[in-house]
Amino acid sequence: MDRFDVIIIGMGVGGEAAAGRLLAAGRRVAIIERELIGGECAYWACIPSKTLLRGPEVRAEASRVAGVATPAIEWPGLRDYHDYMVRHLDDSAQVKGYEQAGATVIKGPARIAGPGRVEADGQLLEADHVVIATGSEPLRPAIEGLEQVTVWTNREATNVRDIPPRVLLVGGSAAGVELGQFYLGMGAQVTIVQRAGRLIDREDPRVGGLAEQALAGGGVTVRTAVTPVSARKVGGATVVTLDDGSQVETDVVILGAGRSPRTAGFGLKATGVQLTGRGGIAVDEHCQAAPGLWAVGDVTGVALYTHVATYQGRVAADNILGRDRAASYQGIPRVVFADPEIAAVGLTAAQAADRDINTATAEINVADSVDRSWTYERDPRGAVGLLADRDRGILVGAWAVAPLASEWIHYAALAIRAQIPISMLLDQVAQYPTYTGAYLAALEQLSL
Ligand SMILES: Cc1cc2nc3c(=O)[nH]c(=O)nc-3n(C[C@H](O)[C@H](O)[C@H](O)COP(=O)(O)OP(=O)(O)OC[C@H]3O[C@@H](n4cnc5c(N)ncnc54)[C@H](O)[C@@H]3O)c2cc1C
């Protein structure tokens, strides 16, 4: 039996972050991956979706800039660049890289065989620590007849070869909105069906309202507070019936109705670890689930983002290396790469109310106070909202629906994480002209 310091099950971004740190510290590491090293993000999620979105985004941007002719999208070129960015679904360079870094790489499904014991590829491995980084899988909503029609998850939707004329997105959160935005930009007729009463429903209602306005303005049909109940083929088309009796005709149904932590099928139950209400592996602030057993990334269900998986991977590795480190989830940004971008951080007003925080809010239109918005595009779009804790004089939440919001949300993220006094934020100077200047305008509107 081979013995290691650490065995990592699953080599998405969470597993990779832990592996990199442990190998750099000279630990004996075995990494086990049943598909491709890099996981969902690298091949079927963040990287392909952002690569694909960029073409339509540039075209839309150009059409909003004075004196610029609208460029054409050349789909084969964009598709080829996508294929390059997802490494042509080949991880042989990653396998080689890890082997050169000293890891033992096993390609195949792993199974926990007991405390500190893992089986993979017919071998039994032993280690002081096991890190579970098995990610998540798409939820499949109960829609009658779904197996008889063309259904894509994020995998098929990001690896598309020919753009279908019509798509129906089930789910109006990040994945549904981003994929809808892409297909819209590629000329498809797009319908988003969202069970909640608004899009991006985990954020403040204004965020969902602005997102819907932007998508509907671009031509997306947004249906909220409805659920698909059945799907059937009629001729060459798919007809989806919603629970209000209405019907939507489409060519493809794309599932973007959330994901669940991947906790089944690899012997986790026998370890006795607890699952959280969200179905993820319950971990403490060190990312530890049980003595010698760690979990990082989507499988914890804490927040299904690459930056959170990477962070947890680093936190778990540091603790394994004996560097006491607790994870903090305050100030973690949440972004939807729509057009314009949607970014939020900290608490929503409803969450603050649940915690009995005495809040003040402010909202501004960037066109009224941010000169960059006018130099950037002809008819400036965008709004920023702030949520402050009056008693402590700090920000506890922020959102922005505006160009490049994914980049400048970090100003608010750091302010929230570090609990920077609002008096200091009011005295802070931002580069002119930038969208970051919107914060000062919004801060000045807070009545504390
Ligand atoms: C369409 C879409 C777009 C997204 N865009 C963004 C974005 O822009 N920014 C962002 O922050 N997040 C984004 N996300 C979320 C992001 O992709 C995930 O949070 C991230 O990939 C999670 O990483 P992970 O390492 O936890 O899991 P994964 O990437 O899922 O990796 C888990 C790995 O474990 C392997 N595995 C599972 N079981 C076993 C087993 N028994 N044995 C061996 N290997 C196993 C799997 O094969 C997989 O490779 C997006 C998600 C989707 C669906």
Side-chain angles (χ1 to χ4, degrees):
M1 186 190 319
D2 282 335
R3 205 178 156 83
F4 297 88
D5 295 319
V6 187
I7 298 168
I8 300 178
I9 304 177
M11 281 294 281
V13 284
E16 283 210 85
R21 223 163 172 92
L22 293 163
L23 288 165
R27 294 301 187 269
R28 273 201 84 199
V29 179
I31 62 181
I32 309 171
E33 170 54 55
R34 61 172 199 173
E35 287 190 290
L36 295 172
I37 293 181
E40 209 69 25
C41 176
Y43 305 97
W44 301 287
C46 332
I47 295 298
S49 62
K50 267 83 262 181
T51 304
L52 290 173
L53 277 164
R54 185 68 185 134
E57 179 183 279
V58 167
R59 189 177 58 180
E61 265 180 18
S63 70
R64 288 192 289 268
V65 175
V68 177
T70 304
I73 291 182
E74 188 220 323
W75 172 231
L78 179 54
R79 199 178 52 197
D80 286 354
Y81 187 61
H82 157 277
D83 293 350
Y84 162 77
M85 287 299 288
V86 300
R87 307 166 183 159
H88 300 277
L89 302 184
D90 173 6
D91 69 347
S92 46
Q94 281 60 41
V95 171
K96 203 165 155 203
Y98 279 107
E99 283 172 348
Q100 281 169 352
T104 294
V105 180
I106 300 175
K107 291 297 293 286
R111 190 174 174 80
I112 299 172
R117 289 175 154 216
V118 176
E119 274 170 11
D121 196 27
Q123 305 171 52
L124 187 59
L125 318 178
E126 216 176 39
D128 297 333
H129 302 273
V130 174
V131 178
I132 302 171
T134 49
S136 61
E137 50 206 359
L139 287 172
R140 210 177 159 86
I143 302 173
E144 197 192 316
L146 204 56
E147 57 297 335
Q148 278 143 39
V149 303
T150 307
V151 179
W152 291 354
T153 65
N154 59 296
R155 292 203 168 190
E156 295 81 13
T158 55
N159 260 293
V160 59
R161 300 292 98 183
D162 299 306
I163 305 293
R166 296 168 299 185
V167 297
L168 183 150
L169 278 303
V170 180
S173 289
V177 167
E178 289 184 3
L179 291 170
Q181 186 82 60
F182 164 67
Y183 282 98
L184 174 75
M186 294 306 300
Q189 192 182 311
V190 177
T191 304
I192 298 180
V193 175
Q194 161 80 327
R195 184 172 46 188
R198 58 177 193 271
L199 296 178
I200 328 277
D201 60 304
R202 292 212 183 133
E203 302 298 349
D204 270 312
R206 276 292 285 155
V207 174
L210 290 165
E212 182 168 343
Q213 207 176 308
L215 284 163
V220 173
T221 303
V222 179
R223 301 286 318 274
T224 53
V226 279
T227 313
V229 287
S230 65
R232 67 198 153 93
K233 277 269 182 213
V234 178
T238 289
V239 175
V240 175
T241 303
L242 309 181
D243 62 355
D244 65 352
S246 62
Q247 298 192 324
V248 181
E249 233 183 75
T250 187
D251 298 299
V252 179
V253 175
I254 302 178
L255 302 181
R259 300 179 69 83
S260 62
R262 192 180 280 120
T263 54
F266 59 94
L268 183 70
K269 218 169 176 186
T271 66
V273 299
Q274 301 291 310
L275 298 187
T276 65
R278 289 182 187 174
I281 297 178
V283 288
D284 64 14
E285 72 272 28
H286 304 293
C287 297
Q288 192 166 25
L293 192 61
W294 309 78
V296 303
D298 281 10
V299 75
T300 66
V302 169
L304 276 53
Y305 295 106
T306 282
H307 41 290
V308 174
T310 307
Y311 177 56
Q312 291 180 319
R314 291 199 304 255
V315 168
D318 278 350
N319 285 301
I320 290 170
L321 293 169
R323 308 168 188 154
D324 184 34
R325 184 169 177 192
S328 160
Y329 301 105
Q330 250 185 340
I332 294 193
R334 309 177 290 270
V335 170
V336 183
F337 291 84
D339 186 10
E341 291 180 351
I342 300 162
V345 60
L347 302 178
T348 62
Q351 288 166 338
D354 283 347
R355 296 175 193 200
D356 287 329
I357 298 175
N358 174 20
T359 55
T361 58
E363 180 183 329
I364 59 137
N365 269 327
V366 294
D368 298 336
S369 45
V370 178
D371 289 348
R372 175 79 191 275
S373 70
W374 290 93
T375 63
Y376 195 80
E377 55 191 6
R378 241 184 338 229
D379 295 311
R381 302 160 303 155
V384 174
L386 296 181
L387 181 70
D389 180 332
R390 272 205 174 95
D391 299 336
R392 292 191 295 162
I394 55 170
L395 288 184
V396 290
W399 57 261
V401 180
L404 307 174
S406 64
E407 297 291 342
W408 46 279
I409 194 67
H410 296 103
Y411 187 97
L414 192 58
I416 290 170
R417 168 78 197 265
Q419 304 188 357
I420 299 172
I422 287 176
S423 54
M424 186 179 287
L425 295 175
L426 282 163
D427 194 49
Q428 173 65 16
V429 177
Q431 172 68 41
Y432 176 87
T434 60
Y435 281 100
T436 307
Y439 289 115
L440 185 57
L443 285 161
E444 280 172 344
Q445 301 236 335
L446 281 172
S447 53
L448 292 172

